[in-house]
Amino acid sequence: MTARIIDGEAIAAEIRVSLKREVEKLLLSGKSRPGLAAVLVGDDPASHTYVRLKRKASAEVGIESVAQELAADSSQEQIENLVHELNADPTIHGILVQLPLPQGIDEEAVLGAISIEKDVDGFHPLNIGKLAMKGREPLFVPATPAGCITLLKSAGATLQGANAVVVGRSNIVGMPAALLLVRENATVTICHSRTKDLQSVCRNADILIAAIGRAEMIRGDWIKPGAFVIDVGTNRVDDASKERGYRLVGDVAFDEAIEVAQAITPVPGGVGPMTIAGLLRNTLQSAQRLQGYMGEAML
Amino acid sequence: MTARIIDGEAIAAEIRVSLKREVEKLLLSGKSRPGLAAVLVGDDPASHTYVRLKRKASAEVGIESVAQELAADSSQEQIENLVHELNADPTIHGILVQLPLPQGIDEEAVLGAISIEKDVDGFHPLNIGKLAMKGREPLFVPATPAGCITLLKSAGATLQGANAVVVGRSNIVGMPAALLLVRENATVTICHSRTKDLQSVCRNADILIAAIGRAEMIRGDWIKPGAFVIDVGTNRVDDASKERGYRLVGDVAFDEAIEVAQAITPVPGGVGPMTIAGLLRNTLQSAQRLQGYMGEAML
């Protein structure tokens, strides 16, 4: 059996189309255009690239974005003051602080300063707590784990009652993905660097989410035949045949896994595009909520 | 092999002794006595019993407790106003709202009104979120799941790398217990009513926490030989031989499990006593923190 490839680009493109339509409806109803502020501290080139990509994607769906750049030597107070200004700015419905922040800055305090109502990344502990709790609804679901669930559903996976294994327990992917899977009534196993015999645990997974950041660590024979595999990893491996000297691979050995799985995401082109789409969706939903506009349910 | 019985009464008694000593040290340093307020709405006899037990245990370790009773027909506003008064009262370091609240009362709003710094039950979503997140520390760990971990450690269980299975995903036991086990570097599987072949999942557990509320559902042959079993359930089953007409049993068939496990908690006398001890510990820690007193680390 050769697995179906779950096309994150195509699914994210569909989401962007519906986001654009919803933005237009919001404007037609007389409300303001959704506004997203990206706080960028210092000169990290990768961070600048990420913010540029997010702003470009925002523009495509009609979300106004602003990049708020601060010097690398900005003080804690300066960064938090900027966040407070954005909290108070009625044209801004979502605030993201591009990580990592420069050394010496208290990241928890900066993220904690973001108004819970504009925390479109969904990383605030209050949001994560609500995600973990029955009967509570987070204001925002973190984009990458939400994207994993959307991809699984698009691929036709049954989540309820499935054995789902999440490898990695990060705050931004692994743990919230596990909590979302519990909400979907999957039986969820959370694995990490201290897990013994990871291979056997993975081989029992109907649904496998890999978010460890280790190139091709999960091999084909770790995968249960017919499983759905979501590969969140994006790792560089040296490749002299490429002009830039490397290629991107996931946490799963794709060429092996595709022979065993029922469906699998590629890297790149799987989870990645969903992350930005999720951020835009959260920003639109925030603009709808803050302006008292009832939007349609979206992926 | 016959399992060791994990004596929750004895361990809770030890904790109470150390709590009493810490309360005395706090007073000797010139600080105020820890104060715990229990909010009790309506006439539910079980709720009155629980509050009475908590107050009695408070008195034994030197914690001042007050029961704030409101009539069953109290309004949302009256209950929340009481919570706000207690938030502002400097003699109160811990507030617990005895659940369930009468029908028609928004429980989430009442619990959400408790100051995060006095939420000694640890049920606030901000607390649960921090529990779920790496690098964050909750102000309070919910008492029952904390008690499960303490009992496991007292019994000599190795948590790091262990396969831990939590059956039940409630906000007050199952989910926070799972999150605590992840923090202890166990590989954690969260099971619930939709889990398929629960028996096989349980049989793979080095550590099994049962918190489902179904009398003796987990049988001896569901248990891996040598496992550590924590039984959170307290269920009534009819028993004509008892004066009161019933006996209490756990979620685990104790007489069968004891032949297979390495160590197991009884019901009653296992997790139950740890719950009240954990509440008292949280109240003491809150009194220490709110008064700027650095106490000693406790179980």
Side-chain angles (χ1 to χ4, degrees), chain A residues 40 43-53 98-100 236:
Chain A
L40 188 51
D43 311 311
D44 181 52
S47 291
H48 278 261
T49 300
Y50 292 137
V51 167
R52 199 176 60 243
L53 289 173
Q98 187 65 43
L99 302 180
R236 290 184 179 188

Side-chain angles (χ1 to χ4, degrees), chain A residues 176-196:
Chain A
L179 298 175
L180 283 170
L181 286 163
V182 171
R183 288 176 94 91
E184 296 283 348
N185 294 322
T187 300
V188 180
T189 300
I190 304 170
C191 300
H192 43 74
S193 56
R194 308 301 174 88
T195 292
K196 288 179 185 158

Side-chain angles (χ1 to χ4, degrees), chain A residues 5-12 151 234 264-274:
Chain A
I5 293 176
I6 305 173
D7 186 346
E9 285 291 1
I11 296 165
L151 291 176
T234 306
I264 184 169
T265 57
V267 176
V271 176
M274 299 298 288

Side-chain angles (χ1 to χ4, degrees), chain B residues 18-235:
Chain B
S18 72
L19 288 173
K20 189 172 180 179
R21 200 169 46 228
E22 285 295 313
V23 169
E24 284 161 5
K25 283 160 69 179
L26 182 71
L27 296 175
L28 279 172
S29 80
K31 306 292 187 186
S32 307
R33 189 177 290 284
L36 174 65
V39 175
L40 188 51
V41 185
D43 312 309
D44 181 51
S47 291
H48 278 261
T49 301
Y50 292 136
V51 167
R52 198 176 60 244
L53 289 173
K54 289 169 185 175
R55 295 195 63 201
K56 181 164 169 281
S58 297
E60 281 168 14
V61 302
I63 291 175
E64 185 76 37
S65 74
V66 290
Q68 296 278 3
E69 302 189 19
L70 290 177
D73 62 353
S74 300
S75 69
Q76 184 81 29
E77 196 185 355
Q78 285 172 313
I79 302 172
E80 290 187 28
N81 281 345
L82 173 57
V83 170
H84 291 305
E85 279 171 35
L86 295 168
N87 284 342
D89 184 339
T91 70
I92 296 298
H93 306 101
I95 301 168
L96 71 89
V97 173
Q98 187 64 45
L99 301 179
L101 291 169
Q103 280 208 323
I105 297 297
D106 180 346
E107 192 175 289
E108 179 175 350
V110 172
L111 294 179
I114 300 173
S115 159
I116 180 81
E117 297 192 316
K118 298 187 178 183
D119 172 38
V120 285
D121 270 333
F123 298 155
H124 195 289
L126 193 55
N127 249 327
I128 300 293
K130 289 184 175 183
L131 203 60
M133 293 172 81
K134 268 195 225 185
R136 306 296 174 96
E137 291 301 327
L139 283 177
F140 301 104
V141 180
T144 304
C148 295
I149 303 294
T150 302
L151 291 176
L152 285 166
K153 289 183 175 175
S154 300
T158 301
L159 302 183
Q160 177 161 315
N163 283 328
V165 171
V166 179
V167 189
R169 53 176 163 173
S170 70
N171 290 342
I172 60 176
V173 184
M175 181 55 83
L179 298 175
L180 283 170
L181 286 164
V182 171
R183 288 176 94 90
E184 297 283 348
N185 293 322
T187 300
V188 180
T189 301
I190 304 170
C191 300
H192 42 74
S193 57
R194 309 300 174 87
T195 293
K196 289 179 184 157
D197 196 6
L198 180 59
Q199 183 170 351
S200 298
V201 181
C202 289
R203 207 181 284 126
N204 197 34
D206 304 313
I207 287 165
L208 181 64
I209 295 184
I212 27 178
R214 290 185 55 183
E216 300 181 326
M217 179 175 152
I218 294 175
R219 314 304 309 187
D221 61 358
W222 295 30
I223 290 167
K224 183 176 177 175
F228 289 80
V229 179
I230 304 291
D231 189 351
V232 186
T234 306
N235 312 287

